[in-house]
Structures are given as structure tokens and as C-alpha cells.
Amino acid sequence: MYFGGDYNPEQWPEEVWDDDVRLMREAHVNLVSVGIFAWARLQPDEGEFDLGWLDRLLDKLHAGGIAVDLATATASPPAWLVRRYPDVLPVTETGTVLGPGSRQHYAPTSPDYRRLAAELVTALGRRYADHPAVAMWHVNNEYACHVRADFSEHAARAFRTWLADRYGDIDALNEAWGTAVWSLHYDGFDDVRPPRASPTTQNPSLVLDWRRFTSDSVLELYRMERDALRAAGATQPITTNFMGAFPAMNYWDWAAEVDLVSHDGYPDPRDPEAFRHAAFAADLMRSLRPGRPWLLMEQAPNAVQWRPSNAAKAPGQMAAWSEQAVARGADGILYFQWRQSRSGAEKFHSAMLPHSGTRSRTWKEIVELGGALEQRDAACPPRGDVAVVFDWENWWALTQVDLPADVDYQAEVFAWYRALHARHVQVSFVRAGDDLSGYRLVIAPALYLLTEDGAASLEQFVGSGGTLVTTAFTDVVDENDRFRPGGYGRQLADVLGGEPVDFFGVLPEDGRSARGLDGEPLAVITMVEDFELHDGEALARTGEGEPVLVRHHYGSGTSLHLACFTDRSGIDQVLDRATATAGVRPVVGGLDPTVEAVTTARGVTLINQSRRPTSVTTPDAAFELSPYEVRHLIA
Ligand code: GLA
């Protein structure tokens, strides 16, 4: 089990380093991420490297028994680079050049940035490939976190090349994007531009490909660094830190290119549901590479500094959230950052070692957790019986502005995950088109963009005995965001026992509801389908008689289609029915929803994620969990 954090020794005189190593040992730290923002220190000018200080530091850490996750340091270009090559700077959709003075000021497709980044990475790789302290490599940092898309001329050129590879010729692109609408026809790839600021809505097919390109082009930059490290002789695992359900990068694609998934999570201590958001991110990270541990690369030891108001973590809360990650498959708990900065934008961000030093509560909690984790081996939990579909391409397609109603895909997926989490059901995430065999229940909220592979996997799943839950706005468009010939619902009509023939927005003042299961009202919110029943059975209908929950037996399985979106209570009604049909059981029954329960490789971990004591009764025992207490029940 790894324990440690980002270590930025370049911010401190060397005399402090000995103290750092001594205190790291006291805190049970065994891994630190070094040099993430140290480019200016490592390379004072083009072609000139200053690695002596890093040699001394790595030797010191190694002598202290502390391993290093060595950064490639490409996340913040130095002043000389911008001075000499100003067009490395990224550009926003309105044409504003994002200047230096903070960080991440590079266009991912800039040839000069890529060339100079490769030189730095190669120099570091050659020097440290065999250094005994280096346990892994940390490429760049949180790719695209500040610059979610770059609209520069470099990007425009790279986009055209990407499109030419995808479509072969411009006629195929015109067809795929439906450019007969609004005279958008292109005569050649050179006519295509990034979706920069425009009078009104850009062609959504273009925007979808732009998002694919943006994720692919940044991934390509990651691959360049990774391959440069390998070419320089590095044999250690290579990773870059993901950010949970981060909209701009398709982490299903990215996960295949890293040796281990690592994740940065900053839930807001003020949000009583923060632990469920953290669980969502943890399960997503685990699911990206099933059966392999992942690393919590960053979390805050206490408060952050970047929200308008930054609340403390309650005593025990940091440990509870860390234990949650371990239970969900993390093999290391790391923080931003080791020693609190004296200056700069993050000087108010908590650190493992605050300015108040070893007398602080933060330090004491860090040392205690480090000691507890030292005794622990990492292990992946089983994947569970329930899969929730989470698909980036679908997310991108749904972020367009001109829909029957705005659909917040991430919030919708979270709403279903949340309900399952609160009833203590173990969940994995899948990508549309994955093999679903072995799951009992699959939930596919708002799967608007449904490819043929995606539809085939859902059909196969239900046909062979699974239970599928779908919502409104499923199976609407193809991979280019076009309707299929004949309209919507073309692929799943047989499975769902009917098809949507139209979609309408619903606002709270419309006051729509249906009579749901067991006569309970079922809220109809955001959107309702005009759903044409074939051989499905309506389990709930609106006052006007429109079906809003449709059950259908298909093959040896069952589908439940919610022809609208609904609220928490509606989701619970559907889940009661779906889990009973599928035979899905909670990890532990009868728990308070604020107690988190995870089936681990060794038994069950229970975590009281609230500020109140909570009693727990299992078939074998009854006990009380104090606030944020963690209890491991060994099977
Ligand atoms: C991100 C970055 C870190 C640091 C933290 C602060 O996760 O990767 O460098 O800025 O945020 O919360």
C-alpha cells in the first residue's frame, strides 16, 4: 500500500529536505510525486539541463526508504519557452490567447511544445531510468483540467488531419455531418474549423467529432511522453492522473494507455453527499481497468483553497474517505501536497505537513492513517452484480444545446448510482458496447447516442436473462448524432416492447406526474417520451393515459423502460422492481443510508460517513459506529 503525496522540494532550500525525509518517515510515507511543476528548475534554458539538485534529492529519498513517482515536469512551461515560442500558448473559443503566469499554458498540438517536452522527458528518462528510488513515472499533470479544449491554429490543423484519417474524403464527412443543413457543405478538409465562437449553434456532429479529437489529441500527447520515457530506457510503470468523471477526456480510451489508473479526488466536505460522489469516482476508476488496483494520486489532507468557501474535513473524515478508496480497490493514498507552500496560489491549500507543523490536527490524522495503512495489503473488490453504463461519447453528444430539454448526463447517471449506493448495492461501470455477461442488472440512463455495438450488447444481455433499465432519450441517434433512417428507437424497440415517437420537455410548473407502481405518484421531470407500446406492458401511466414505465420480457430477460426522467422517489420505485426482478442483493441489508458498505476481497468494510453515531445490526452482530468510524468485517 502506497502512502504519500506531491512533493515540491524546488520550493524550499535544500536544508529543509532532510527534515522532510525525517518527517515523511514519521508519517509512514513511502511514495512521493516529485517535480510535477519543476520544469523551470530542471531546464534553465533550451538545451541546458540542471539535474544535480534532483540527483541529490532522489538519493536522499532513497536513503530514507522513500520511493519516487517521478514527474516528467511538462505541466507548466518555463518563461524562456514562451518567450522564444509564443505560439505554444493555447487559445479559447473566442480567440483569447491564454498567457503564462499560472500553469498548463500550452497547446497540446503545438509542435514546439511537443518537441521541447520530448527533450525534457528524454533527458529525465535517460538520467533516472535506473535510479533505485524511481518506482513509477508521472506524466504531465491532470491533462486538460484548466484548458478543456484548445482552439488554436495548431489545433485546427491537427483536427483536419484527424478528420481526414477518420473519413478518408470530404464527401464522407459531409454525409456524416449532414452538412446539407444551413449550407454547411465543405469543399475540402481545409474549410473545416474548430467550433469557435459563432452566431448560433454549431453543427452538433462537428462538435461531437471535435470533442473526440480533443480527447484523442491530448491522449496522443500523453503517448508521446510515455514512449519517450520507454525509448530512454524506463521500465517502471507509467501513469498520469485522471480526475474521476472529467468531461473533456474519454478515460475509457485513456485507461488502455496507462500502466495503472491514478485519480485525483477533491470532494467538498460541506456536501453531505460528497462521500457518494467520491464512491462514484472510485468505482469508475476501478472499472476502467477491471480487476487491477488504482491509485488515489491526490486528495486534500484537509481543506482546499479553490472553492469560494473552503470547509475543513471533520475529524476522521479524511481517513473515512481514504478507507473508502482502499475498500474500492485503491492500492495507495496520496495527497496534494506534502509540505504547505509559503507562496503562490496554493499557499492556503492544506498539506500533510502544514505550517503549524506536527502539532496540527491534520498532521496527527495523517500519521495515524499512514500507520494503519502500513499494515494493509491492497486487493480489488469483486465487481458486483450491477453495471451502470457511463459513456463519454454519449455525454458529449448530450452536451449540445438544442435538445427537447437539457439533459445533464452526469447528474442522471449519478442519480441512479446514488440510489444504488444508498441501498448498499455494489456497482461497476461499463462502457456502451461492453460484454455484459455475468451482470444481473444493467442500468443505462439516457443512452442517447447508441451505436450498433452498444445496442447489440444490451439486446444480448436481456435476451440471455439480464434485467435492463433504460430511461427517456435512449437509442435516439447514431455515432454521428444523426437519426437513423426511420427515426428513433430503431434498435431497441424489440427489447423494450415499444418505441419513442417524440420527446417533450417538462418543467416543474407543468406539474406532471404519473400513477406509479403500487399506486404511488411517479414524478415526470425534464422530458417525457410519447412512447408507442408494442407488446410491452405499461406499469405506470400519466393521468392522460400515456405509458411512462414499460416492462417487457424479451428472450429470457426483462427490460424496464422509464419513458421520462424522474426524481429520487421515482428512481427508488423503479429500482425496487428492477432489483427484485434481477435478484440483486445489498452488501449488507438494513443499514442506514449514511453507512457505506463495500464487499472487499476479504469481507465487508463498513464506514459511517456521517457526523453522527449510527447503529448497525447484521445477522451476526449489533454495534454502534461512531462518526466516520471504519469497521472491517472479515468473512
Ligand atoms: C490539482 C492539481 C494539484 C493541485 C491540486 C489542488 O489536483 O493536480 O497540482 O493544484 O489540484 O487541489
Side-chain angles (χ1 to χ4, degrees), residues 288-302:
L288 292 176
R289 283 175 81 100
R292 311 263 198 107
W294 56 277
L295 187 59
L296 184 60
M297 183 67 91
E298 286 182 28
Q299 66 169 335
N302 199 331

Side-chain angles (χ1 to χ4, degrees), residues 351-428:
M352 300 167 80
L353 181 62
H355 289 301
S356 54
T358 53
R359 67 180 189 279
S360 59
R361 168 165 76 85
T362 307
W363 169 261
K364 288 181 186 135
E365 290 192 23
I366 290 281
V367 175
E368 193 181 325
L369 180 66
L373 293 181
E374 214 166 41
Q375 322 299 323
R376 217 78 71 67
D377 294 324
C380 276
R383 68 179 197 173
D385 293 331
V386 181
V388 173
V389 179
F390 186 69
D391 196 271
W392 263 268
E393 300 214 354
N394 181 55
W395 190 2
W396 295 334
L398 280 172
T399 50
Q400 63 184 284
V401 282
D402 295 340
L403 297 175
D406 291 346
V407 177
D408 183 339
Y409 178 61
Q410 188 188 7
E412 191 58 30
V413 174
F414 178 71
W416 290 87
Y417 177 87
R418 189 207 156 275
L420 289 159
H421 186 271
R423 51 176 78 201
H424 310 103
V425 170
Q426 195 123 329
V427 168
S428 285

Side-chain angles (χ1 to χ4, degrees), residues 6 8 36-37 103 138 141-142 145-146 241-243 264-266 298-300 303-306 336-337 346 349-350:
D6 282 18
N8 298 307
I36 296 177
F37 297 101
R103 60 180 181 183
H138 185 295
N141 191 63
E142 293 191 342
C145 71
H146 306 303
N241 37 355
F242 295 172
M243 294 160 280
D264 297 352
Y266 290 91
E298 286 182 28
Q299 66 169 335
V304 299
Q305 96 296 355
W306 41 261
F336 177 85
Q337 62 177 326
E346 298 185 306
H349 196 293
S350 62

